């Protein structure tokens, strides 16, 4: 698994790791302070309920979004797509997700900046969760080599494979 982060690496690492603690003379003080410490970003996100995560997603910063993208809740992925600071790489991860929902796919298709990207269209069409009508809308916008790959068996549905074959026969 590879993860590319943009921004200041030190700030990202500091947000993900717990803050360093000073040496304590008493173990009792250390345990009291540990309960008050906020913990790592990962721990804080794990402690949130699904509705809290969905409220956080549209306004989350980059490091929080990176962790939320790993969640397997389709509603959370849809909520993440509503974040105005979402990058194209993050949209691509949602398009490739095995937890893609109908609503998330529709939102990606309706957003011109995202669907204009070839990588996003290819990721969507190869996603088995993409509804066939959406895949048939994307197919005419793909380059010939992608259509050829779909016609040879990379398609997840028979109607999509047939449409790819028809397009190749016309050309």
């Amino acid at each position: 698994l590879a993860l590319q982060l943009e921004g200041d690496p030190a700030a990202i690492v500091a947000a993900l790791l717990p803050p360093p603690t000073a040496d304590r003379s008493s173990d009792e003080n250390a345990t009291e302070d540990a309960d008050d410490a906020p913990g790592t970003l990962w721990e804080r996100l794990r402690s949130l309920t699904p509705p809290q995560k969905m409220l956080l997603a549209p306004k989350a910063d980059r490091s929080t979004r990176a962790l939320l993208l790993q969640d397997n809740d389709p509603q959370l992925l849809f909520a993440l797509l509503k974040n105005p600071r979402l990058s194209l790489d993050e949209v691509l991860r949602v398009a490739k997700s095995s937890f893609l929902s109908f609503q998330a796919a529709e939102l990606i298709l309706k957003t011109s900046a995202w669907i204009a990207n070839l990588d996003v269209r290819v990721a969507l069409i190869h996603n088995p969760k993409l509804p066939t009508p959406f895949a048939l809308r994307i197919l005419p916008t793909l380059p010939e080599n992608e259509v050829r790959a779909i016609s040879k068996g990379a398609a997840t549905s028979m109607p999509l494979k047939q449409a790819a074959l028809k397009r190749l026969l016309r050309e």
Side-chain angles (χ1 to χ4, degrees):
L1 177 66
L3 181 63
Q4 178 182 357
L5 301 174
E6 293 178 7
D8 182 23
I12 294 170
V13 170
L16 294 174
L17 296 177
T21 57
D23 290 337
R24 303 269 193 253
S25 58
S26 163
D27 288 338
E28 184 179 331
N29 289 342
T31 56
E32 288 175 5
D33 290 343
D35 292 338
D36 295 339
T40 64
L41 178 59
W42 178 257
E43 291 167 348
R44 287 184 300 218
L45 286 178
R46 284 186 47 198
S47 68
L48 294 178
T49 63
Q52 289 172 328
K53 289 179 185 178
M54 283 189 274
L55 288 173
L56 174 66
K59 56 187 175 196
D61 63 346
R62 187 164 185 81
S63 56
T64 306
R65 289 192 315 262
L67 292 174
L68 289 174
L69 278 170
Q70 297 175 12
D71 204 300
N72 60 3
D73 184 4
Q75 293 177 336
L76 181 61
L77 294 177
F78 180 67
L80 275 168
L81 288 174
K82 294 180 179 180
N83 191 316
R85 296 183 304 254
L86 202 63
S87 71
L88 201 55
D89 292 337
E90 293 165 321
V91 173
L92 186 60
R93 285 189 61 193
V94 172
K96 289 180 181 180
S97 173
S98 60
F99 301 104
L100 182 74
S101 67
F102 172 88
Q103 293 86 1
E106 185 176 36
L107 183 57
I108 292 172
L109 286 172
K110 286 183 177 180
T111 307
S112 59
W114 297 339
I115 201 63
N117 185 287
L118 178 62
D119 292 334
V120 171
R121 291 190 310 245
V122 169
L124 278 174
I125 207 151
H126 288 292
N127 191 328
K129 295 284 187 158
L130 184 71
T132 303
F134 291 166
L136 293 173
R137 282 180 25 200
I138 295 171
L139 186 65
T141 67
L142 295 177
E144 186 178 339
N145 62 345
E146 282 298 326
V147 176
R148 188 168 282 125
I150 291 168
S151 69
K152 289 182 180 178
T156 56
S157 69
M158 188 54 86
L160 181 60
K161 189 174 182 177
Q162 291 172 346
L165 285 169
K166 285 180 187 177
R167 178 176 162 194
L168 288 174
L169 290 175
R170 278 184 284 182
E171 294 174 358

